[in-house]
Structure formats: structure tokens, C-alpha cells
Amino acid sequence: MIMDERKKALLKEIVETYVKTIKPVGSNSLCKKLKCSSATIRNEMVALENMGYIEKNHISSGRVPSELGYRYYVENLMEPKDLTGEDMLKLQTIFSNNDLQVSDAVSKCLEIISDLTNYTSIVLGKSSNDNLLKQINVIALDERRIIAVVCTDKGIVENKQFVLDTNTDVNEIVKTSEMINKMLVGTPINKVAEKLEFEIKPIIAKRIKDYETVYNIFYDAFNDFIKHNTNMHVSGRVNLLKEPEYETTEDIKRIASKLEDDSFKEMVNNIDGGENLQIYIGKDSNFDDNVTVIKKKYKSGGEEGTIAIIGPKRMEYERVVSLLNYMVDKIEGKDERK
Amino acid sequence: MIMDERKKALLKEIVETYVKTIKPVGSNSLCKKLKCSSATIRNEMVALENMGYIEKNHISSGRVPSELGYRYYVENLMEPKDLTGEDMLKLQTIFSNNDLQVSDAVSKCLEIISDLTNYTSIVLGKSSNDNLLKQINVIALDERRIIAVVCTDKGIVENKQFVLDTNTDVNEIVKTSEMINKMLVGTPINKVAEKLEFEIKPIIAKRIKDYETVYNIFYDAFNDFIKHNTNMHVSGRVNLLKEPEYETTEDIKRIASKLEDDSFKEMVNNIDGGENLQIYIGKDSNFDDNVTVIKKKYKSGGEEGTIAIIGPKRMEYERVVSLLNYMVDKIEGKDERK
DNA sequence: ATTAGCACTCGATAAATTCAAATGCTAATT
DNA sequence: AATTAGCATTTGAATTTATCGAGTGCTAAT
């Protein structure tokens, strides 16, 4: 069976009507749009159903797009339009504020997108590997507690506290930090631990008695930098719960749980579909069979991450795609204006 | 009407049975416990109902504790027991780990409590005002971007980035920071901004041309320290949604919303009932008519805050009170072992 | 190839019925 | 005077039955 033009138009109409009304679409309601009788539409519907693009809940109900149908729609039928003036206006206020850190700008954007669309949005970001070590400071709180503060050239700062054994000398730690500042500044932050072992450890091994301990402290500090420097921000967590298709308390509770735990984080990270915008519908989402996830990566100002919008399968695909593309463009554009 | 012993015993039994079964309590089911006939119990129930301690949903249902009844229960009838071995065991693992920062220990505790009780718990903490300024560092990222890193004697570190005008000299900022390090170390962190104005500003006014800008940078840095240094941590957000009394999707959505937005933060802070453990039932909770909030303040290791457990009104009062008291004791105990 | 016509299906809604738990009240008992 | 047994009564919850209408699939006509 072949997807002729009328079938395409019909599927497009079914998807878009369903997305708007959330009610199974009957043959009658489409007569005017497709300029033919309901009987003709019914015949075509049977064809689309056989191809797996639409389904019916029970024998006498209207048709609903299947996952396959949605996928065909996003791949072949939808036409992402320019943003409406209203949508754009709301986002613009954010990009006009130059003082915002990238991560804050992304978070704020997502808050607005969640608000505009009533879906849930997430950003999972981390300092990108083009952050270079700028400086490490050691602050002694007292004889036994010290803090190591690591700062990158992109302005990301992390700190970690250590409690020393009585036989470790704070001065030796400070000396080592000075050595690191002399020798390793400019090293990509994810390579520091490595260089530490091969360039610093051999040197301090000769000078410091307790060099293993000292080495471990710095090793931990840099490792923690990488570990801690991932941040997740979720906006409109409850929006998803409000979608009318999630009717039973089981649905709501199940999704609420998933929105809380870490399966969520994994979902955002696990699927790696390259640099372009990706759409995962239903089972493909790796999150819940009843949602669609639209994701896109961004990279800007020493940070990189993934933005994901989670909505019902009958998502306003065109609008969300436009919003997300526009936003990432702007975010990445921030870089250049520096 | 007077609360004689039998009425007290009856109310206690009704509350505890209801908490366990979540079903209205009928007169028959209490005969054995109270050693009298169901008719006698019915008579007493009428009395308790007139006093406002119990209610019935409809004329032929069993009785349910009213808010007043719960309040009478927590004030006069309940007997917080020692923790069960199991509950204690789970918490203990946390306190045996000496490396944990206080805020992490509190968060971990709450995760366990949420897990044990199936309620939602929150901690809203901030660096306490007995944090003293230990050191401020200025790191120049390039000619125009600098980072100020503030560290207190309790080991709390915050940083803030600034973008300078072209006519501001980084060296003057560094000099000023050294001045602050000489003169203001040991000042309570919330008093620094004040001292800055009266002790530092007059001095730099004479030496630095653009002293207002420099002053403002440090003023902002310290102000931000105080502002940023509040953290909120929520555990088991969805637990509350799972409670069987929240049946309708409206209930669930309403509560889910409240658990997300900031009304929540306010709720934890707003009610200030002194240092002891506080119990707010229903309307008193300032959060939702259908929940109970149990709160307690803690103070330890340069941090202070409030812990709140949110559950249904038929909360396991005795258990939660015991858990919370035990936990705060331990947390505050951490201080001394240093 | 399209459409009108019609019997048929099935969920959604409303009305009717049944059932059991618990009550309030009265009168008997301790 | 306090307690209890006995019983009619209330009421929600669960189950069944009836009705309605949107939408389909199929056949025959256009």
C-alpha cells in the first residue's frame, strides 16, 4: 500500500485534530477539510489503519494516531513554523540580559517553555571539557581542616573540604598547590588528574614524606570537580501530571515517580542521537510509554548539556520543535557576543 | 462535658486504629479493646462527637478523628516510644560517617526518613550567622572578568563572577581584597557588608579613583553569599501523592503543584514556633488542609535550618516524632565530637 | 472511484436495585 | 444510674439494567 497525497493529508489532519481536541477523530468531522464524503474518508482510514498509522480504541470509536503515525508525522508531514510573536517575545527578555550565566539562562528559558507549552522540561548540563584549569587555592580553616578551591578559565568554581590526619603537614599541601598552579594551569580540567599523576606525583615523591596523602587530596579535589559539575534543572514537573490523558491515579503516580527519581537523569543522557534535535515517541522515549521526549544538545560558554521537553504523545510537535531550535540557537549565540 | 479516662482511651483507640486502617472506625470493632459493649461505645462516641474530637462522614459510617481530635491526641494522648531497632539501624549508618558535611548528613537522613515513613520531607537550611569570614580571594579570569571567592571558618565557600568596565583596574580590586583579608577576617559573615562600608570604604576612597565600583563589587559578593547560602532539599516528593486518601486527580494535582512551587519554602519558614518540635495539623499547616506538618529546627556545624515532615493528617505521629527528635539530637551531637 | 444508506457495535451516562456496615433510640438488665 | 441488647433506619458502595448516540463497516447505487 502506498502513501498517496490524500492519505498523507488525512494523517496530517488526524494528528493535528487529535492534538488539539484530544478526542478520537471521526470520519464526519473531516469531510470539509478533505473535500470528500465521510465514506471515502472511512475507506482511507481503513488503509491507514492497515499500515499501522492510526488505531481505534474500540470498534465504534474515531481514530487516534499510533506511535508509528506520530513518527511518520514528525518525519514527513509536519512543517515547523516560525515562532509566534508572543512565544518569541517571552523568550527574548532572557537573551537581552547579558549578565546571566549560561546555565541560568538555560534554566530560565526552560521555565518559560514549560509555562508556554504546559509540558515538563529538563536540562542536564555540565562544564564542558574545554574548561581549562585556571587556579587552585588551598585555604586552611584550622590545623586539620582545609578547603581546596578549583577555578577554571570559564569561571566555574568548585570546592571540597578535607580533614587531615595529624601527621600531614598543611604547608606541604600549600606548596603542592603552588606547584600545580605553576605547572598545570591551562590544562583541560578533565586531564588534570592524569597530569597530576605523571608530572606532579614524581616530583613531590622526592620532597614530601607523606606524598601519597597529599597526592590523593588533589586527585580527589579534581575528580570531584568533574563529578559535581553536572547540574540538573527541572521545570514544570507537575505540568505533565496535569495532561488530561493521564486520568487514573496509577498513571499519575507512576509518572510522578519517574519524574522524581534518577531514571530521569539517565533518560536524558542515555539516548545519544547526535547533535541534531531528536524526537522520541512513546516506547522509544526510554522513559514512559505514554510520553514523547524532544531533546537537543547545546554548548556554550564552557558548558554543554542536553535539553529535553517531555509531554504527552499528542505533543504540539511543530511548536515545541520551533521553540527548542530557537532557544538553542540563541543560547549558542551568546558565546559569540562575548 | 469532661474527658474522663474512658473517653480518652476511646479517642486514643480511634486515632490509632484509623491511622492504621484508614477506614472509619465503628463501635463494634472496639468492644474488645475497651471491654464494654458497642452500645456503650456508641454513647461515648456521641459525647466525643459533641466535643468536636471525632466526626462521621455520613450518618451511618464509622467515626474519623477531626483535626481537633488529632490535636488532642498529640497533646495529651500519644506516647512517643523509643525508636524500633530497625528504624534506628538505618539512621545510624549516616552518623557513623564522620566525613559528611552537616547539610549532606541532614539530606541523607531525610531520604531515609522519607523512605521509612513514606511521607515527604524537606530541609531548608542556611549557613548560620556564627560563620565568620575566613578569607576572600579574587581570581582574574582575563582582563575584564573576575571571580570573588568567599570562604568562612566553618568551611562554607561561595563565589560570584563579575564583568568589569574597561576603566576598572583589576589590581585595585586585588589590593582591596587583601585589605579585607587583613582587617575583616573573623567578622560574622552577616556583619561584613556593614563593616565594609565603615571600615574599608573610607580607606579606599582616598586611594582609589573608582572606589565606588570596587566597593560595590565586594558589597555584592558578600550580600550574595548570604542570599545564595540557603539550600532546600526535598525527599520523597511523590510519597505524599501515593497516600491513599488522596484519591481524586484533583487532590493529587493540587498537592503535586504545592510540592513544586515556592509556597512550600514559605511554609517551612513562615511558621515559627520556637525551638521545640512543632506539629501543625490540617488548616494549621499553612500548606494544605489535608496534611500534617511536623517540624523541628536544628543547628550544627555552621549551619542551621528547619526540617519538616509532611504527611497525611492520619500520620504515624508517635513514630515521626521519635524519628525527628532522634535525628536532630544526633545531628546536633555531631558538633561536639569535633 | 466515490458516495448514500443502513444495520450494528460499544462506550458513556443515568437510573434502579441490592447489600452491608454502622448508627440512634428504646426498653430491658445489672 | 450505668450498661447493654435489640431493632428499625440510614446511607454509601457495588452491581445491574436501560438508554443514547457517535462512529463504523459494508452493500448497492451513482
Side-chain angles (χ1 to χ4, degrees):
Chain A
M1 185 99 49
I2 247 171
M3 273 302 263
D4 56 49
E5 286 312 308
R6 193 168 63 187
K7 286 194 186 60
K8 287 186 187 174
L10 177 57
L11 180 54
K12 186 161 187 283
E13 211 54 56
I14 291 174
V15 170
E16 292 177 359
T17 307
Y18 183 69
V19 163
K20 240 182 281 169
T21 64
I22 330 183
K23 283 185 190 128
V25 184
S27 53
N28 254 310
S29 64
L30 298 177
C31 289
K32 280 167 220 151
K33 285 265 184 176
L34 296 208
K35 285 169 192 154
C36 59
S37 76
S38 64
T40 310
I41 294 181
R42 278 202 291 283
N43 288 334
E44 293 284 52
M45 277 177 161
V46 171
L48 285 177
E49 188 169 359
N50 287 335
M51 289 187 273
Y53 292 135
I54 57 178
E55 299 168 338
K56 48 181 177 326
N57 296 325
H58 52 93
I59 196 149
S60 71
S61 80
R63 302 306 212 289
V64 166
S66 68
E67 287 188 12
L68 202 63
Y70 282 122
R71 204 167 310 138
Y72 190 90
Y73 174 80
V74 301
E75 282 168 9
N76 304 290
L77 305 176
M78 79 172 170
E79 317 161 59
K81 300 149 198 144
D82 285 343
L83 289 188
T84 65
E86 199 186 349
D87 283 359
M88 206 182 295
L89 201 66
K90 292 226 180 181
L91 286 172
Q92 222 132 34
T93 58
I94 290 175
F95 301 107
S96 59
N97 181 351
N98 255 317
D99 286 353
L100 282 179
Q101 306 255 82
V102 171
S103 59
D104 294 334
V106 174
S107 302
K108 280 241 185 310
C109 264
L110 289 188
E111 274 169 34
I112 290 177
I113 290 184
S114 289
D115 207 50
L116 289 172
T117 61
N118 266 308
Y119 305 138
T120 298
S121 52
I122 311 149
V123 55
L124 199 64
K126 63 173 204 281
S127 53
S128 58
N129 289 334
D130 51 3
N131 269 273
L132 310 177
L133 176 62
K134 180 78 192 179
Q135 186 167 323
I136 181 166
N137 284 354
V138 172
I139 300 171
L141 295 178
D142 52 39
E143 315 80 49
R144 292 180 48 213
R145 291 183 309 140
I146 62 163
I147 291 187
V149 180
V150 176
C151 175
T152 75
D153 67 326
K154 298 287 199 310
I156 296 172
V157 178
E158 281 294 326
N159 72 87
K160 182 170 167 114
Q161 195 175 143
F162 296 91
V163 178
L164 305 179
D165 287 341
T166 39
N167 51 4
T168 309
D169 183 355
V170 174
N171 283 326
E172 311 223 296
I173 293 171
V174 174
K175 264 187 219 157
T176 308
S177 78
E178 282 162 6
M179 197 179 301
I180 292 173
N181 278 331
K182 265 186 208 138
M183 298 175 61
L184 297 190
V185 163
T187 308
I189 198 73
N190 57 336
K191 296 275 167 24
V192 172
E194 193 181 316
K195 281 206 173 189
L196 209 57
E197 176 161 12
F198 294 114
E199 301 188 16
I200 302 291
K201 201 178 179 184
I203 302 182
I204 61 173
K206 290 175 195 159
R207 301 198 199 158
I208 304 179
K209 198 175 53 188
D210 193 20
Y211 74 97
E212 279 285 359
T213 313
V214 175
Y215 167 77
N216 282 334
I217 283 177
F218 288 101
Y219 182 86
D220 282 358
F222 287 111
N223 243 7
D224 264 45
F225 181 95
I226 292 162
K227 210 170 15 174
H228 283 337
N229 233 286
T230 61
N231 53 9
M232 180 168 88
H233 188 93
V234 187
S235 280
R237 211 185 288 258
V238 293
N239 286 0
L240 195 56
L241 303 182
K242 288 181 185 160
E243 295 294 340
E245 47 259 82
Y246 308 124
E247 288 179 316
T248 68
T249 52
E250 280 73 40
D251 279 340
I252 295 181
K253 288 173 182 179
R254 185 190 69 245
I255 294 182
S257 294
K258 289 186 179 177
L259 281 175
E260 173 151 86
D261 73 13
D262 285 346
S263 70
F264 193 6
K265 226 175 202 169
E266 280 164 32
M267 180 274 288
V268 176
N269 262 339
N270 266 355
I271 315 175
D272 188 322
E275 297 305 312
N276 289 324
L277 182 140
Q278 304 284 329
I279 300 181
Y280 302 93
I281 297 162
K283 299 193 212 328
D284 289 349
S285 72
N286 259 8
F287 181 70
D288 191 283
D289 286 0
N290 291 306
V291 305
T292 278
V293 177
I294 301 189
K295 304 202 311 175
K296 187 162 188 174
K297 293 187 178 180
Y298 71 93
K299 188 165 183 173
S300 172
E303 281 187 28
E304 62 187 35
T306 304
I307 294 166
I309 315 278
I310 307 181
K313 284 195 286 194
R314 46 148 199 94
M315 201 185 253
E316 298 172 276
Y317 289 95
E318 298 179 340
R319 184 163 172 232
V320 172
V321 168
S322 302
L323 277 168
L324 203 49
N325 278 332
Y326 176 83
M327 185 190 132
V328 170
D329 267 12
K330 284 285 190 175
I331 289 283
E332 301 196 326
K334 266 183 93 92
D335 245 355
E336 289 146 32
R337 259 183 295 146
K338 284 241 173 84
Chain B
M1 185 98 51
I2 248 171
M3 275 299 263
D4 56 49
E5 286 311 309
R6 192 167 63 186
K7 287 192 185 62
K8 288 187 187 175
L10 177 56
L11 179 55
K12 185 159 187 285
E13 211 53 56
I14 291 174
V15 170
E16 291 176 359
T17 307
Y18 184 69
V19 163
K20 238 182 282 170
T21 64
I22 331 183
K23 284 187 190 128
V25 183
S27 52
N28 253 310
S29 64
L30 299 177
C31 290
K32 277 169 223 150
K33 284 267 185 176
L34 296 209
K35 286 168 191 155
C36 58
S37 76
S38 65
T40 310
I41 294 181
R42 278 201 291 283
N43 289 335
E44 293 284 52
M45 277 177 161
V46 171
L48 284 177
E49 189 169 1
N50 287 336
M51 289 188 273
Y53 292 134
I54 58 180
E55 298 168 338
K56 49 180 176 321
N57 296 325
H58 51 88
I59 197 152
S60 71
S61 80
R63 301 305 211 291
V64 167
S66 68
E67 288 188 11
L68 201 64
Y70 281 123
R71 203 163 314 137
Y72 190 90
Y73 174 79
V74 301
E75 282 168 9
N76 303 290
L77 305 177
M78 78 172 172
E79 318 161 57
K81 300 150 199 144
D82 285 344
L83 289 188
T84 64
E86 199 185 349
D87 284 357
M88 206 182 293
L89 201 66
K90 292 227 178 181
L91 286 172
Q92 222 133 34
T93 58
I94 291 176
F95 301 109
S96 59
N97 181 349
N98 256 317
D99 285 353
L100 282 179
Q101 306 253 85
V102 172
S103 59
D104 294 334
V106 174
S107 302
K108 280 241 186 309
C109 265
L110 288 188
E111 274 168 33
I112 290 177
I113 290 184
S114 289
D115 207 50
L116 288 173
T117 61
N118 266 308
Y119 305 137
T120 298
S121 52
I122 311 149
V123 54
L124 200 63
K126 62 171 203 282
S127 54
S128 59
N129 289 333
D130 52 5
N131 269 274
L132 310 178
L133 175 63
K134 180 78 192 179
Q135 185 166 327
I136 180 165
N137 283 356
V138 172
I139 300 170
L141 295 178
D142 52 38
E143 315 81 49
R144 291 178 50 211
R145 290 183 308 139
I146 62 164
I147 290 187
V149 180
V150 175
C151 174
T152 74
D153 68 327
K154 298 286 199 313
I156 296 172
V157 178
E158 281 293 326
N159 71 87
K160 182 170 168 119
Q161 194 174 146
F162 296 91
V163 179
L164 304 179
D165 288 340
T166 39
N167 52 7
T168 309
D169 183 355
V170 174
N171 283 326
E172 311 221 299
I173 293 171
V174 175
K175 265 187 219 157
T176 308
S177 78
E178 283 164 4
M179 198 179 301
I180 292 173
N181 278 332
K182 267 186 208 136
M183 297 175 62
L184 298 190
V185 164
T187 308
I189 199 73
N190 58 339
K191 295 277 166 29
V192 172
E194 193 181 316
K195 280 205 172 188
L196 209 57
E197 177 162 11
F198 294 116
E199 300 186 15
I200 302 291
K201 201 177 179 185
I203 302 181
I204 63 174
K206 290 176 194 159
R207 300 196 199 161
I208 305 179
K209 200 173 54 188
D210 194 20
Y211 74 97
E212 278 284 359
T213 313
V214 175
Y215 168 75
N216 282 334
I217 283 176
F218 288 101
Y219 182 84
D220 282 357
F222 287 112
N223 242 8
D224 264 43
F225 182 95
I226 292 162
K227 209 168 18 172
H228 283 336
N229 233 285
T230 61
N231 54 8
M232 180 167 89
H233 189 93
V234 187
S235 279
R237 212 185 288 260
V238 294
N239 286 0
L240 195 55
L241 303 180
K242 288 181 185 159
E243 294 295 340
E245 48 258 82
Y246 309 125
E247 288 180 315
T248 68
T249 52
E250 281 73 41
D251 279 339
I252 295 180
K253 288 173 182 179
R254 186 189 69 243
I255 294 181
S257 294
K258 288 186 179 176
L259 282 175
E260 173 151 82
D261 73 12
D262 285 345
S263 71
F264 192 7
K265 224 174 204 170
E266 282 164 31
M267 177 275 287
V268 176
N269 261 338
N270 267 355
I271 316 175
D272 188 321
E275 296 306 312
N276 289 324
L277 183 141
Q278 303 284 326
I279 300 181
Y280 302 93
I281 298 162
K283 300 191 211 331
D284 290 348
S285 73
N286 258 10
F287 181 69
D288 192 283
D289 287 0
N290 292 305
V291 306
T292 279
V293 177
I294 301 189
K295 303 202 313 176
K296 187 161 188 175
K297 293 187 177 179
Y298 72 93
K299 188 165 184 174
S300 172
E303 280 187 31
E304 62 187 36
T306 304
I307 295 165
I309 314 279
I310 306 181
K313 285 195 284 191
R314 46 147 201 91
M315 201 185 252
E316 297 172 275
Y317 289 96
E318 298 178 342
R319 183 161 173 233
V320 172
V321 167
S322 302
L323 276 168
L324 202 49
N325 278 331
Y326 176 83
M327 184 190 135
V328 170
D329 266 12
K330 283 284 191 177
I331 288 283
E332 302 197 327
K334 267 183 93 91
D335 246 356
E336 289 146 31
R337 258 182 297 145
K338 286 242 171 83

